[in-house]
Amino acid sequence: MRTTGTSTVPGVRLANPGPGLVTLDPVHTALLRGLDELLTGLAAQLAAPEVLGPPLLAVDGLAKLDYFRNFPHLGVSAARFTTDAHAGLAAGDTPGAQAVEPTGHLLPSATCYGLLLSLEGQDVGEGVRLSAAGRCFRNETHYDGLRRLWGFHMREVLYLGTHQGATTHLEHGAAFITATAEHLGLDLTRAAADDPFYDKGGSRAKLMRLDPVKHEFSAPDGTAIASVNRHRNFFGERLGIRAGQNGAAHSACVAFGLERWVHAMILAHGSAEAALDRLDTVRAEAALDRLDTVRAEAALGHLDTVRA
């Protein structure tokens, strides 16, 4: 067991910088990194290569996706200091609103947006999968510990291709979330969510009420820590992404809010130290399972050689 009292760096207390902002201590950091490594198991199962998305998203691109019609309250704009303000800032002036100008970009509020915009105008054939983790930012009406942050880490495994491919992707994702949560000792509840990517008053939103496109997996206190999202062919149509002869690509993503997984683990096990112990046990068991698989495959390969 880990010793208690490791929630701070020796001799230093890591205070949170402000509302919605947090500095994770070594134990919480190890827990977040370890969980992310475990959750990449879905990408491994689906052969989704790891990529890095862009740190900023163009306003023009997001507008094509109805982002500002649906989520104007979430957007965090990237600004730069004006040339006229440089001298005053160098002299020690406190920057005000007049000292900045827009850049035409936003900080990402979800990892998948940058990946989708990067595929604009392309043909993905029978389908493509990508896995990425990134810092995301959202303006919220309130902030609440690790449950609701201004800036947080999100891992997503994205699929673009055929309708059936998107369905299969989400089936694998949901099964992975459920199995992983069980191994970690997390009791999650699955429920349909009501935040479509597209116009809430349009025909697509009406269809969503009959056939939900997003399901969330929540901890006992209601914190949604993962979701499976079916976009139908919305992004394919808006961004001109095709799936060969199948027309506009269908897309789907499986998303994990990493700080929320940390919160859920602490909620389930009582402390960050105990949660990290449980995670280490699960990761060790997973490593043994992989070793057994490698040995079995090697034995079968040797048998095939002997038979030949």
Side-chain angles (χ1 to χ4, degrees):
M1 294 292 292
R2 300 172 194 276
T3 59
T4 58
T6 58
S7 59
T8 58
V9 177
V12 178
R13 180 177 179 273
L14 298 175
N16 293 335
L21 304 174
V22 64
T23 299
L24 297 182
D25 62 44
V27 176
H28 287 76
T29 299
L31 186 54
L32 184 145
R33 298 299 186 197
L35 285 166
D36 185 36
E37 181 180 331
L38 184 67
L39 296 173
T40 58
L42 175 61
Q45 289 180 11
L46 297 175
E50 185 78 5
V51 298
L52 287 173
L56 296 172
L57 304 176
V59 167
D60 292 345
L62 290 173
K64 296 178 183 179
L65 309 180
D66 288 347
Y67 182 87
F68 301 104
R69 298 179 66 180
N70 295 313
F71 308 115
H73 56 294
L74 294 182
V76 180
S77 179
R80 65 166 64 92
F81 290 116
T82 64
T83 303
D84 293 340
H86 291 174
L89 293 171
D93 290 351
T94 300
Q98 72 282 358
V100 297
E101 61 185 6
T103 62
H105 289 77
L106 265 65
L107 300 177
S109 61
T111 301
C112 65
Y113 283 123
L115 305 184
L116 289 162
L117 290 169
S118 298
L119 291 169
E120 183 172 9
Q122 297 193 43
D123 190 329
V124 297
E126 290 302 308
V128 63
R129 289 185 170 90
L130 300 171
S131 177
R135 266 274 171 86
C136 297
F137 302 84
R138 295 179 183 178
N139 282 316
E140 300 281 7
T141 57
H142 71 283
Y143 299 104
D144 182 10
L146 296 178
R147 299 179 64 187
R148 192 175 295 273
L149 290 164
W150 195 3
F152 56 93
H153 295 82
M154 180 186 296
R155 171 161 295 281
E156 294 195 45
V157 183
L158 174 69
Y159 171 84
L160 290 101
T162 66
H163 175 272
Q164 182 56 49
T167 299
T168 301
H169 184 78
L170 295 186
E171 289 173 350
H172 279 294
F176 177 85
I177 293 169
T178 300
T180 302
E182 182 177 345
H183 289 313
L184 291 171
L186 301 180
D187 180 18
L188 302 184
T189 301
R190 177 175 177 169
D194 184 23
D195 58 344
F197 285 90
Y198 28 74
D199 183 6
K200 294 180 175 65
S203 59
R204 292 179 183 273
K206 294 177 182 177
L207 176 60
M208 196 205 79
R209 288 192 285 272
L210 299 174
D211 181 20
V213 298
K214 178 176 183 176
H215 286 84
E216 293 180 331
F217 296 78
S218 299
D221 66 350
T223 303
I225 69 172
S227 64
V228 290
N229 307 270
R230 179 161 50 95
H231 314 140
R232 298 195 172 93
N233 60 356
F234 174 76
F235 291 124
E237 289 181 344
R238 291 300 179 91
L239 296 175
I241 304 172
R242 297 185 57 79
Q245 298 303 311
N246 295 291
H250 285 247
S251 60
C253 69
V254 183
F256 307 91
L258 298 182
E259 282 85 355
R260 290 186 171 193
W261 277 79
V262 171
H263 166 80
M265 286 290 287
I266 295 172
L267 183 68
H269 300 292
S271 70
E273 291 81 7
L276 191 52
D277 282 333
R278 178 60 179 260
L279 174 61
D280 286 346
T281 299
V282 171
R283 293 171 67 190
E285 292 172 349
L288 288 174
D289 288 342
R290 289 194 296 272
L291 180 59
D292 287 343
T293 299
V294 170
R295 286 172 174 169
E297 291 175 348
L300 287 174
H302 176 69
L303 181 59
D304 290 340
T305 301
V306 171
R307 287 173 175 172

